[in-house]
Amino acid sequence: MNKKIKIDVVSDVVCPWCAIGYKRLEQAINELKIEDKIELEWQPFELNPNMPAEGQDVEEHITEKYGSTPEQQQESQERMTDFGAELNFKFDYFNGMRMANTFDAHVLLDYAKKQGKQTALKMRLMNAFFGERKDVSNRDILKKELETVGLNTTEAFALLDNEELRTKVRSEEDYWKSLGVNSVPTVVFNRKSALTGAQPVSVYKQVLTELLQS
């Protein structure tokens, strides 16, 4: 069977459910042993497109955006940490943690796609933000993470302020929003069907199996 499944994962680097959703999807693919039948591409989505360069305190941000109390936030973070541990993904929430602007990260992910290292960079940035207390809007940090996955930092940074590329990334964000994507993760299969939120491994396995059999 030579059929491939095209998967678009619309997500943000600072979205905890995106990390959990992808790790569950990855587990489903691995358990079905169909890695060679998957073509996966990350699509840009900014949870906070107007986030200032200096970021914002996470607790303050979540309270402002969702109205969550500090107690509710702590409960949610503990749950996230437990889910992450099951998937070998580290969440290290801490006092003073700041939400970051992720637009530069999305521009670099577009560059990484052409180099065949998009998933490697995406997971590196997610691990850096959630598990290593790093500011993924800081260009020095971004440069180090590009090096870590073996990407050419000079080439990548030459593109970072390229207005044409930045416009392209904004257009892609608008494209997915125009299709009705307003929450992430949204996992799109063959550009025909989609699952939103971090689904259980069993759900991803069922959908993938049905697609391979159809």
Side-chain angles (χ1 to χ4, degrees), residues 9-194:
V9 184
V10 189
S11 75
D12 200 358
V13 172
V14 294
C15 160
W17 287 113
C18 294
I20 290 166
Y22 172 70
K23 293 297 285 182
R24 287 177 177 170
L25 173 64
E26 181 185 51
Q27 188 177 324
I29 291 166
N30 291 342
E31 286 180 10
L32 291 170
K33 296 182 169 56
I34 56 167
E35 296 91 334
D36 60 332
K37 293 185 168 57
I38 302 297
E39 182 192 333
L40 189 139
E41 191 175 325
W42 295 89
Q43 303 295 350
F45 186 98
E46 288 175 272
L47 285 170
N48 312 291
N50 301 316
M51 181 62 62
E54 68 275 13
Q56 184 184 19
D57 178 85
V58 164
E59 187 177 308
E60 179 187 288
H61 173 71
I62 301 294
T63 301
E64 257 179 39
K65 191 168 183 179
Y66 304 107
S68 309
T69 65
E71 294 74 28
Q72 287 169 327
Q73 288 186 50
Q74 186 170 348
E75 193 180 309
S76 169
Q77 288 171 359
E78 285 169 4
R79 196 158 48 111
M80 219 75 78
T81 303
D82 290 344
F83 284 144
E86 289 168 18
L87 298 156
N88 197 27
F89 185 91
K90 182 183 177 187
F91 285 100
D92 175 21
Y93 288 101
F94 59 97
N95 286 336
M97 185 176 184
R98 296 184 75 75
M99 191 54 76
N101 183 296
T102 57
F103 189 72
D104 278 358
H106 286 300
V107 174
L108 292 173
L109 284 162
D110 187 88
Y111 164 75
K113 174 167 56 185
K114 296 176 184 66
Q115 313 303 317
K117 297 206 169 186
Q118 196 186 28
T119 295
L121 182 61
K122 181 79 173 192
M123 295 318 294
R124 183 81 288 286
L125 293 174
M126 282 183 157
N127 279 299
F129 180 74
F130 286 112
E132 298 165 9
R133 304 190 175 196
K134 291 178 181 173
D135 175 4
V136 292
S137 67
N138 180 306
R139 291 195 170 188
D140 291 335
I141 300 280
L142 290 171
K143 190 171 274 190
K144 286 191 184 110
E145 303 310 342
L146 285 167
E147 285 170 356
T148 303
V149 298
L151 284 164
N152 183 319
T153 55
T154 308
E155 200 172 81
F157 267 66
L159 291 169
L160 201 45
D161 291 314
N162 179 308
E163 218 35 67
E164 198 177 316
L165 182 57
R166 293 176 81 81
T167 301
K168 173 180 179 267
V169 172
R170 291 201 195 283
S171 298
E172 285 171 358
E173 289 181 330
D174 292 341
Y175 169 76
W176 291 101
K177 282 183 193 159
S178 76
L179 292 182
V181 175
N182 53 26
S183 67
V184 288
T186 295
V187 181
V188 183
F189 300 93
N190 292 330
R191 299 273 169 122
K192 289 178 181 170
S193 60

